[in-house]
């Protein structure tokens, strides 16, 4: 890498390093985490930061929070608690195709609030595949029996609840002829559409659910750590405040996406919202599959109960640490309440998974006494290591180092001065342009790389035009997750695409609608309920006052 700089200024050198890293991240010429190590090499070589200072940027409070969350996720997946939750939620919603889709979307979104989006999609998809296969086989059996009944050679071993008239039979014959080109795998075009619908519901809901919590996706964690590092005097952003503003937005996006996907693949009419208590043969067969899958798990085991208890404790401690509208439990630590962060809670609960026994080994002494001599914890270090996303940890650390380098070199201030003319545009227009830009970029670049690259620039933009930084950073962070268009845009998309039911064009058409829904809901949120929550209409005292300077 040979620099060709027009100037020897620190700003120009840092801009060159930023450009090189951006190209490597966008093209993935090197693995993302390997590229993230370049600041540790280049900043000392260019005299921007000392090596020890760069190294300290790679490990922040974020990493402790991530470790605690991964401990929880490891135990949930090890003891199959996630599967039990998903199946139970689907059983509660029902087996009608419309409501079944909503049930899978809701359970997937809930799981992705606490687990990684990738592992959630990978866990739910086999269940969805089994359920849809059972629906199709049951439908084929019913269709064959109805046709046999209509032609006068009824099978006495099968009972059909519905009567079929001649018009319906002819209609089915026509549909069979029309869809004969679909192939034996799906039988009819409607069945193929059902597969596509369910696959995309899982991919999109696993991403949408991650929006609701700070720990739900890596982009939220990256933003939170960047914001707390750049604006240490602001104590307004924590697990509870994030959930308050993001949960309504995620619910709206999830519900509107459900309606959009239903209309796109199966058609839409208001009759589909009717809750009919009488079940068809297909619905009974589908319910039987889900029930059998749930029964395979057996009764809830001790390990699942303990994991669920610790999960609830962690969530409650996060929400009540510093709710904002009342004093939280952290206020009990008088004098150093600000020292206790969400990562403190995550570590406290995370360490318990290594302490609490999952099972105890016993042996009988020569005297006949049974004594415990060994025990296995809920999770082991080896299991934790297999779940810990070290590549994300390094990638995020590289982003922090890059942000610190931009601050030390003065590049952030220089960018802010250059962007100050944008202050003449309406703020909502700036937010819309930023959201659309981020949504487009994240389709071709990884979400963590996109947000890591843009956060320092957008922070400088907000300071330059003297608006609350949260007004620009929050929508940019949320829109970074809207990678719905392509199979390669994020791992959940790739997972569902690998099942072979979708074409790229299917995902593009569906994802474009979900992208529009997502940006529209974010714009609505930024102009309504989020404004009073963070007092977005005023430039805060915790943000630096930027004075425009004339540069030669």
């Amino acid at each position: 890498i040979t620099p060709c700089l027009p100037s020897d200024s620190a700003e120009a050198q840092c801009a060159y390093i930023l450009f090189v890293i951006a190209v490597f991240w966008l093209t993935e010429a090197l693995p993302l985490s390997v590229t993230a190590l370049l600041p540790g090499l280049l900043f000392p070589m260019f005299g921007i930061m000392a090596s020890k200072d760069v190294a300290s940027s790679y490990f922040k409070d974020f990493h402790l929070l991530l470790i605690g969350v991964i401990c929880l996720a490891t135990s949930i997946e090890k003891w199959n608690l996630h599967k039990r939750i998903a199946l139970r939620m689907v059983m509660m919603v029902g087996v009608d195709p419309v409501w079944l889709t909503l049930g899978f979307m809701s359970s997937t979104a809930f799981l992705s609030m606490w687990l990684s989006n990738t592992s959630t999609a990978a866990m739910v998809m086999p269940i969805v595949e089994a359920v849809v296969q059972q629906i199709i086989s049951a439908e084929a059996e019913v269709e064959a029996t109805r046709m046999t009944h209509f032609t006068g050679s009824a099978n006495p071993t099968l009972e059909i609840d519905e009567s079929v008239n001649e018009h319906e039979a002819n209609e089915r014959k026509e549909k069979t002829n029309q869809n004969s080109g679909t192939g034996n795998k799906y039988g009819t075009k409607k069945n193929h559409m059902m597969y596509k619908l369910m696959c995309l519901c899982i991919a999109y809901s696993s991403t949408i659910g991650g929006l609701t919590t700070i720990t739900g996706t890596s982009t939220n964690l990256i933003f939170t750590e960047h914001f707390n590092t750049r604006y240490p005097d602001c104590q307004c952003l924590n697990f509870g405040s994030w959930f308050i503003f993001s949960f309504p937005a995620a619910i709206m996006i999830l519900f509107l996406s459900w309606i959009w996907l239903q209309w796109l693949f199966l058609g839409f009419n208001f009759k589909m919202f009717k809750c009919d208590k009488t079940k068809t043969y297909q619905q009974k067969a589908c319910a039987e599959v889900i029930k059998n899958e749930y029964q395979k798990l057996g009764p809830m085991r001790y390990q699942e109960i303990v994991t669920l208890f610790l999960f609830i404790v962690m969530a409650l401690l996060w929400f009540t640490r510093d709710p904002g509208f009342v004093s939280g439990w952290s206020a009990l630590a008088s004098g150093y309440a600000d020292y206790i962060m969400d990562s403190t809670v995550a570590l406290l609960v995370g360490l318990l998974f290594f302490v609490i026994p999952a099972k105890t080994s016993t042996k009988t002494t020569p005297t006949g006494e049974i004594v415990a001599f060994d025990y296995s914890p809920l999770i082991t270090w080896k299991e934790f290591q297999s779940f810990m996303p070290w590549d994300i940890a390094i990638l995020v650390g590289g982003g922090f180092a890059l942000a610190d380098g931009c601050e030390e070199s003065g590049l952030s201030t220089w960018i802010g001065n250059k962007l100050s003319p944008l202050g003449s545009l309406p703020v909502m227009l700036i937010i819309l342009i930023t959201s659309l830009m981020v949504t487009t970029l994240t389709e071709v670049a990884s979400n963590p790389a996109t947000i890591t690259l843009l956060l320092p620039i957008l922070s400088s933009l907000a300071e330059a035009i003297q608006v609350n930084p949260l007004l620009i950073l929050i929508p940019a962070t949320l829109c970074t997750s809207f990678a719905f268009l392509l199979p390669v845009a994020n791992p959940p998309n790739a997972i569902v695409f690998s099942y072979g039911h979708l074409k790229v064009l299917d995902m593009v058409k569906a994802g474009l609608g979900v992208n529009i829904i997502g940006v529209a809901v974010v714009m609505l949120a930024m102009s309504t309920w989020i404004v009073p929550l963070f007092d977005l209409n005023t430039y805060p005292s915790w943000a630096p006052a930027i004075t425009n300077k004339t540069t030669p």
Side-chain angles (χ1 to χ4, degrees), residues 207-269:
T207 299
I208 294 169
L211 300 174
T212 55
T213 60
I214 287 179
T215 58
T217 183
S218 57
T219 54
N220 296 354
L221 284 166
I222 294 169
F223 160 71
T224 306
E225 184 60 33
H226 168 85
F227 184 84
N228 290 334
T229 302
R230 189 175 181 109
Y231 308 109
D233 294 333
C234 177
Q235 300 296 324
C236 59
L237 202 62
N238 54 48
F239 195 92
S241 61
W242 181 279
F243 186 84
I244 290 172
F245 83 74
S246 63
F247 185 73
I251 292 294
M252 292 174 67
I253 296 171
L254 191 74
F255 180 74
L256 293 174
S257 299
W258 170 59
I259 294 177
W260 159 249
L261 293 172
Q262 286 286 340
W263 176 83
L264 186 63
F265 291 103
L266 295 182
F268 179 84
N269 60 68

Side-chain angles (χ1 to χ4, degrees), residues 101-120:
T101 304
L102 182 61
F104 271 116
M105 290 185 74
S106 302
S107 57
T108 303
F110 176 77
L111 289 173
S112 67
M113 291 168 60
W114 317 101
L115 306 176
S116 75
N117 302 347
T118 305
S119 60
T120 300

Side-chain angles (χ1 to χ4, degrees), residues 15 19 52 55 59 69 80 119 153 155 160 195 199 204 217 235 283 290 303 305 318 335 338 357 362 369 375 437 495:
F19 174 77
K52 63 177 182 179
F59 198 90
V69 170
N80 266 340
S119 60
S153 55
N155 186 342
I160 304 300
Y195 264 112
C199 286
Y204 295 162
T217 183
Q235 300 296 324
Q283 291 171 354
I290 296 174
Q303 296 90 339
I305 295 172
W318 270 337
D338 293 343
T362 60
E369 184 181 0
Y375 80 95
M437 177 187 69
I495 288 171

Side-chain angles (χ1 to χ4, degrees), residues 6-309:
S7 170
D8 290 333
S9 65
E11 294 95 328
Q13 292 174 334
C14 187
Y16 170 76
I17 295 172
L18 179 64
F19 174 77
V20 170
I21 292 174
V23 170
F24 277 31
W25 268 339
L26 293 175
T27 61
E28 296 191 36
L30 290 174
L32 295 177
S33 52
V34 175
T35 302
L37 296 173
L38 289 180
L41 170 67
L42 297 179
F43 281 165
M45 289 179 61
F46 282 77
I48 295 173
M49 291 179 69
S51 184
K52 63 177 182 179
D53 296 330
V54 182
S56 64
S57 300
Y58 273 84
F59 198 90
K60 301 276 188 178
D61 182 64
F62 155 85
H63 295 85
L64 299 179
L65 179 62
L66 182 64
I67 288 171
V69 170
I70 296 301
C71 290
L72 171 65
T74 304
S75 186
I76 287 176
E77 295 199 31
K78 177 181 178 180
W79 302 111
N80 266 340
L81 180 61
H82 58 322
K83 191 172 183 179
R84 187 181 296 277
I85 292 172
L87 290 172
R88 192 65 188 172
M89 291 184 71
V90 172
M91 290 169 66
M92 289 170 60
V93 172
V95 294
D96 181 87
V98 174
W99 297 107
L100 182 66
T101 304
L102 182 61
F104 271 116
M105 290 185 74
S106 302
S107 57
T108 303
F110 176 77
L111 289 173
S112 67
M113 291 168 60
W114 317 101
L115 306 176
S116 75
N117 302 347
T118 305
S119 60
T120 300
M123 181 276 299
V124 177
M125 268 308 296
I127 303 174
V128 171
E129 185 83 359
V131 169
V132 178
Q133 284 176 359
Q134 188 63 25
I135 291 175
I136 291 176
S137 62
E139 189 174 87
E141 187 176 345
V142 170
E143 199 69 28
T145 308
R146 283 176 174 173
M147 293 301 295
T148 304
H149 177 73
F150 174 73
T151 55
S153 55
N155 186 342
T157 61
L158 294 173
E159 297 180 1
I160 304 300
D161 296 333
E162 301 89 355
S163 62
V164 183
N165 58 35
E166 184 177 351
H167 174 71
E168 289 173 334
N170 290 334
E171 213 173 51
R172 290 190 187 93
K173 286 180 181 178
E174 290 176 8
K175 285 183 180 179
T176 304
N177 293 334
Q178 290 173 1
N179 299 320
S180 59
T182 307
N184 295 329
K185 182 177 180 181
Y186 304 109
T188 65
K189 184 177 180 182
K190 181 182 176 182
N191 291 339
H192 195 186
M193 292 297 106
M194 184 68 176
Y195 264 112
K196 293 180 179 182
L197 170 65
M198 296 299 285
C199 286
L200 290 173
C201 283
I202 299 306
Y204 295 162
S205 58
S206 65
T207 299
I208 294 169
L211 300 174
T212 55
T213 60
I214 287 179
T215 58
T217 183
S218 57
T219 54
N220 296 354
L221 284 166
I222 294 169
F223 160 71
T224 306
E225 184 60 33
H226 168 85
F227 184 84
N228 290 334
T229 302
R230 189 175 181 109
Y231 308 109
D233 294 333
C234 177
Q235 300 296 324
C236 59
L237 202 62
N238 54 48
F239 195 92
S241 61
W242 181 279
F243 186 84
I244 290 172
F245 83 74
S246 63
F247 185 73
I251 292 294
M252 292 174 67
I253 296 171
L254 191 74
F255 180 74
L256 293 174
S257 299
W258 170 59
I259 294 177
W260 159 249
L261 293 172
Q262 286 286 340
W263 176 83
L264 186 63
F265 291 103
L266 295 182
F268 179 84
N269 60 68
F270 288 101
K271 290 183 180 179
M272 73 185 210
F273 293 107
K274 290 176 64 178
C275 297
D276 194 355
K277 292 185 178 180
T278 60
K279 296 179 180 179
T280 64
Y281 184 86
Q282 298 98 312
Q283 291 171 354
K284 290 178 181 178
C286 177
E288 191 65 25
V289 170
I290 296 174
K291 184 179 178 181
N292 290 339
E293 287 290 323
Y294 188 79
Q295 288 178 343
K296 286 178 185 178
L297 298 174
M300 202 166 185
R301 295 168 295 171
Y302 157 77
Q303 296 90 339
E304 293 178 79
I305 295 172
V306 175
T307 300
L308 180 61
F309 175 75

Side-chain angles (χ1 to χ4, degrees), residues 376-457:
S376 299
L378 287 171
I379 61 173
T380 63
W381 180 253
K382 189 174 183 180
E383 291 165 341
F384 167 79
Q385 280 188 308
S386 66
F387 277 88
M388 180 66 184
W390 296 109
D391 54 339
I392 295 296
I394 296 173
L395 175 62
V396 174
F400 296 151
L402 197 61
D404 289 347
C406 291
E407 285 292 320
E408 288 290 329
S409 65
L411 180 62
S412 294
T413 304
W414 181 85
I415 292 174
N417 290 332
K418 293 299 180 183
L419 294 176
S420 57
L422 292 176
S424 59
L425 296 175
V427 175
M428 293 308 294
L429 179 59
I430 296 175
I431 296 174
L432 178 60
I433 294 172
T434 302
S435 300
L436 293 175
M437 177 187 69
V438 171
T439 303
T440 303
L441 183 59
T442 197
E443 297 291 350
V444 295
S446 77
N447 298 356
T450 301
I451 194 65
T452 302
L453 188 64
L454 293 179
L455 279 176
I457 299 173

